[in-house]
Amino acid sequence: MIIFASRVLKIYLRDKTAVFFSLLSSFIIIGLYILFLGETYSSSFEQIGNIHQLMDQWVMAGLLATTSVSTSVATLSVMVDDQYQKRQKDFYCTPIKKTALAGGYFMASLIISFFLSLITLFFAQIYILINKGSWFSFSVYMQIIVILLLTVLMNSSMMFFISSFFKSNHAFSTATSIIGTLIGFLTGIYIPIGTLPEIIQWVIKIFPTSHGAVLLRQTMMNSTMNQSFQQLPQTAVVEFQNILGITYQFENITLTPICHYFYLIIFTIIFFIGAVYIHSRQRQ
């Protein structure tokens, strides 16, 4: 499995253009925020102290949650190309186990996605500092990395599952373009979840990646929020968190961080098992 994952990594990294375009959606989100969204969001909460720093942290948390979607898609394009070029028939003629084949694709996707997510975290911190924000503490960094790892696991599993249905490069390219367009909306980055119709809010809350975004927002914004809301009532805090998707409420129940962790873990397992099952059927 490790040798096969190494093959996928070499093929992916050989194409420098593919590496760049796998991060393009992240650059687009940053560009939209700088040019249009940042001032609009900040002006909606002028009464809150440190609002610019809060919004910078908010959008960077969403960015970190979505980066591994586009990067895993780019890595898994190698798998789709193998299917399209019928290379997998050659693999099936060898003693390689189906779990090793599927695991090799998944491992390569996971490695690339996590590495590029860490690079994104570095640039996110630089962006926050440039805008007069502050460094995250060591403990916050450790929490971010743990959440990132779990989010990358889930996103890679989800895209691994989705990619397993495609056998055509053209169809896969079209699907990934749609996913890249929708991912910002499905995690509440482009439009805060609290301003959307209730049915759309439910869709976002069900979408697994958004739960990674919630955990990252809570971790990255916690210290600044404690300072900003010292003189404001608790109701203002709750309203702010609900509008920006820092917490999720179902009816009168507010999900705790452990609920978000379990949600990510459960869907990681479901998507991975589903993808392995599809690969096993293809071999048969």
Side-chain angles (χ1 to χ4, degrees):
M1 182 172 67
I2 296 176
I3 295 175
F4 193 80
S6 176
R7 167 192 173 268
V8 177
L9 289 172
K10 289 177 181 178
I11 293 174
Y12 171 75
L13 294 173
R14 189 169 56 196
D15 187 350
K16 301 299 187 294
T17 305
V19 177
F20 170 77
F21 277 100
S22 64
L23 286 171
L24 183 60
S25 60
S26 300
F27 297 146
I28 291 173
I29 292 173
I30 293 175
L32 286 172
Y33 178 72
I34 294 173
L35 295 175
F36 306 107
L37 303 179
E39 192 58 38
T40 302
Y41 293 161
S42 299
S43 62
S44 301
F45 303 100
E46 291 180 342
Q47 72 280 13
I48 300 174
N50 299 319
I51 186 57
H52 290 284
Q53 184 175 348
L54 277 172
M55 296 312 302
D56 287 344
Q57 293 169 347
W58 178 78
V59 77
M60 291 302 141
L63 176 65
L64 288 171
T66 58
T67 295
S68 54
V69 173
S70 57
T71 53
S72 61
V73 163
T75 311
L76 291 167
S77 63
V78 177
M79 179 183 74
V80 177
D81 188 58
D82 284 344
Q83 292 177 334
Y84 180 70
Q85 300 293 341
K86 309 297 182 183
R87 297 189 189 99
Q88 289 195 342
K89 288 187 176 181
D90 297 331
F91 300 145
Y92 293 154
C93 293
T94 68
I96 188 171
K97 296 180 180 179
K98 56 189 176 184
T99 52
L101 183 63
Y105 288 122
F106 178 73
M107 181 182 293
S109 171
L110 183 62
I111 291 171
I112 288 294
S113 297
F114 186 62
F115 177 71
L116 293 181
S117 292
L118 290 178
I119 292 177
T120 305
L121 172 60
F122 171 77
F123 283 109
Q125 176 67 90
I126 296 301
Y127 176 82
I128 290 171
L129 289 173
I130 290 173
N131 284 280
K132 301 179 181 180
S134 57
W135 287 97
F136 295 119
S137 67
F138 178 77
S139 62
V140 169
Y141 270 121
M142 292 299 100
Q143 293 177 60
I144 291 173
I145 290 173
V146 169
I147 297 168
L148 265 184
L149 179 58
L150 185 54
T151 304
V152 168
L153 269 169
M154 199 291 303
N155 285 337
S156 296
S157 297
M158 178 175 66
M159 300 316 302
F160 184 35
F161 175 72
I162 294 174
S163 302
S164 300
F165 289 99
F166 292 92
K167 298 182 180 179
S168 163
N169 288 329
H170 178 71
F172 184 67
S173 177
T174 302
T176 54
S177 297
I178 295 172
I179 292 170
T181 303
L182 291 177
I183 192 66
F185 293 100
L186 291 174
T187 49
I189 299 176
Y190 297 147
I191 304 176
I193 183 174
T195 63
L196 295 169
E198 188 172 351
I199 184 64
I200 305 300
Q201 292 186 33
W202 274 87
V203 172
I204 293 174
K205 290 176 181 178
I206 292 172
F207 187 59
T209 304
S210 71
H211 289 261
V214 169
L215 289 171
L216 287 166
R217 287 166 184 157
Q218 291 177 357
T219 303
M220 295 171 68
M221 299 174 69
N222 182 59
S223 177
T224 309
M225 283 188 62
N226 288 338
Q227 298 174 15
S228 300
F229 286 90
Q230 283 182 346
Q231 307 300 324
L232 294 175
Q234 183 63 27
T235 53
V237 179
V238 174
E239 182 181 4
F240 181 78
Q241 291 177 330
N242 289 337
I243 290 175
L244 293 180
I246 301 169
T247 57
Y248 279 175
Q249 278 192 333
F250 291 91
E251 300 300 334
N252 295 321
I253 300 174
T254 300
L255 297 185
T256 61
I258 194 67
C259 295
H260 298 296
Y261 280 112
F262 272 117
Y263 198 87
L264 289 171
I265 292 170
I266 290 170
F267 273 91
T268 298
I269 295 171
I270 290 173
F271 284 130
F272 182 74
I273 292 175
V276 171
Y277 174 76
I278 292 171
H279 276 268
S280 67
R281 297 287 294 178
Q282 289 173 346
R283 182 171 186 176
Q284 292 172 2

